[in-house]
Structures are given as C-alpha cells and as structure tokens.
Amino acid sequence: QNGVMSGLMQMLLLKVSAHITEQLGMAPGGEFREAFKEASKVPFCKFHLGDRPIPVTFKRAIAALSFWQKVKLAWGLCFLSDPISKDDVEKCKQKDLLEQMMAEMIGEFPDLHRTIVSERDIYLTYMLKQAAKQIELPRASENEPRKYIPAVVVGVVGMGHVPGIEKNWNSDLKIQEIMSVPPPSASSKIFKFVLKATVLGLLGYGCYRIGHRTVQFVLSMPATQSYIQRMTEMSQQ
C-alpha cells in the first residue's frame, strides 16, 4: 500500500524489533504502551499519538538516500546480530553516550538522521506546543471576559528527541514542508521495475516448469499412451 521500498524498509525494521525483543525479552516501545495505560486511569485525559505518520517518514527517508546508501542500510539491517543486554540499554540512557551514537549516525547517514530524527523533532515539538495551548473556559454570555486555564500535558518521547524538542521549543514552527512526500527518484523507479520484472519472470518460469512436468507426467501414464496409440491407428485407417 505504501510502496515497494517503504514496505521493504518496514520489514527490515520489524526484523530489528524482533532481534531486540529476543535479546532483551521485551519489545521496544514499552514506554508508549505504559503511557497509554496511565492515561486511561486519569479522568478526562485525552491520549494523543503525536508522532509523524510512519509512511511519510519512511518515504521521505528513502527519497533522501542514494541507491548505494539504501543498499548499505538494508545490508546492515539484514545481518544485524550484535548481542544486546539490559546493561547496554542502561548505558544508552547516559547523555554523552547517546550524543556519541547520534553523532555516528549523522556521520554515516546524514540524510537519514535529518528525516528520521531532526524532522520528527520539529513535528513532535509542534504537536506538543499545540497540546500545551491554554484552554478557554466556557462563558455565560458574550460580554463576559474570556478566561483561560493552563493545559496539563505529559509528553512521552524517545530520549534521542529531547535535545531537539528543547532546541525547537521557542521557534516558530511550520510542518507543511516536512509532511510532503517527494516523488520517487529515477533509481527507485528502476529498482521497482527490475523487482517487478524479476518476480513476474520467476512466476512465469515456475508456471512453465510446472506445466511442462505435468504434461510429461500425463503423457507417461499407460492410459494416455493407449489412447494416443488408438487415435494414431484410427487416423492411419
């Protein structure tokens, strides 16, 4: 539904998620599931999913990568086998180590970091600021002065997004640009065509082989050979 490259990327990330779950005995994203549980306990609490839609993020990320960067990223995700312990997770909570990991990602895939981290920092900040706007109290009449109360907001985000949210908080943010999906590149079109041609070619070859073997099997049956022999004799007469 969201395109070949986006679908392949989602499959690879699901593989990474499964690897983390297997190593730690718990699935990623537990903080968001816990937030949902806690929100359900608070009267009149509205729970809002404030991240940018995944298809938009994936399509923008894929469009930002060159063909070889896509191959390199896919290769790394396919053969991810590094052991992960709970101590490693605790170390990642340290600010200096987290900043080092982010710097490594920027150095290796700067465009990927921009679309997956920096742009989502802007989007998350925008959504949090929208949620934090003051709430206007109902008025008995038009002449009554407007009264507001502050909104109480709890934002649950990944640790890697906190510095970006703090940086963007006092900026005038516009999200129209980071919500647009660029048209597919020439390399994406070529890859898509080659992939479709390969799949259709393999299906065609498979149908041919199955059909060929089926015909050979039917012709080798004694009943079929007897019928062919009778038809041959009848035609000669």
Side-chain angles (χ1 to χ4, degrees), residues 1-233:
Q1 291 180 353
N2 297 319
V4 176
M5 290 300 296
S6 182
L8 290 174
M9 184 65 70
Q10 289 194 45
M11 288 173 63
L12 290 173
L13 290 178
L14 283 172
K15 180 181 181 297
V16 174
S17 178
H19 172 70
I20 295 172
T21 303
E22 182 182 5
Q23 292 286 317
L24 299 177
M26 59 182 180
E31 64 272 34
F32 305 116
R33 288 187 287 273
E34 194 64 28
F36 179 77
K37 291 179 185 177
E38 291 300 318
S40 64
K41 301 175 185 177
V42 180
F44 309 109
C45 178
K46 295 181 180 179
F47 182 84
H48 182 67
L49 299 174
D51 203 349
R52 185 170 64 177
I54 290 177
V56 176
T57 298
F58 276 174
K59 288 180 180 179
R60 286 186 62 85
I62 291 166
L65 295 175
S66 67
F67 176 77
W68 293 113
Q69 283 179 321
K70 292 173 187 174
V71 172
K72 184 179 179 181
L73 179 64
W75 181 267
L77 294 177
C78 278
F79 296 97
L80 180 70
S81 58
D82 296 337
I84 305 171
S85 67
K86 292 185 179 181
D87 290 336
D88 294 331
V89 176
E90 291 301 320
K91 289 178 183 178
C92 289
K93 295 179 182 179
Q94 300 173 14
K95 187 176 180 181
D96 54 347
L97 181 60
L98 186 65
E99 289 177 349
Q100 179 185 342
M101 293 169 63
M102 298 295 280
E104 290 176 359
M105 183 180 178
I106 294 172
E108 193 167 6
F109 297 103
D111 294 322
L112 194 66
H113 180 274
R114 173 175 55 81
T115 53
I116 291 184
V117 180
S118 300
E119 289 183 0
R120 287 173 58 226
D121 287 345
I122 295 172
Y123 189 91
L124 289 166
T125 307
Y126 178 85
M127 298 303 288
L128 280 169
K129 290 181 73 173
Q130 292 296 311
K133 285 183 176 180
Q134 290 186 327
I135 301 170
E136 182 179 355
L137 295 175
R139 294 183 294 168
S141 65
E142 291 292 330
N143 297 326
E144 185 179 347
R146 297 176 183 273
K147 293 181 180 179
Y148 299 88
I149 59 172
V152 179
V153 180
V154 177
V156 181
V157 299
M159 287 186 64
H161 291 290
V162 174
I165 292 172
E166 292 176 346
K167 176 184 174 183
N168 292 310
W169 189 259
N170 294 320
S171 303
D172 183 21
L173 303 175
K174 294 179 174 61
I175 61 171
Q176 289 81 5
E177 183 180 346
I178 61 173
M179 289 300 292
S180 63
V181 178
S185 62
S187 61
S188 296
K189 292 179 180 178
I190 293 171
F191 178 81
K192 187 175 181 179
F193 173 78
V194 170
L195 185 64
K196 283 186 175 180
T198 303
V199 172
L200 291 174
L202 290 172
L203 285 174
Y205 179 73
C207 291
Y208 165 76
R209 292 290 297 176
I210 293 172
H212 183 67
R213 289 184 178 181
T214 302
V215 170
Q216 285 184 330
F217 175 73
V218 171
L219 291 176
S220 65
M221 293 175 65
T224 305
Q225 291 181 353
S226 175
Y227 177 76
I228 293 173
Q229 185 177 2
R230 276 186 291 171
M231 292 297 294
T232 304
E233 291 174 355

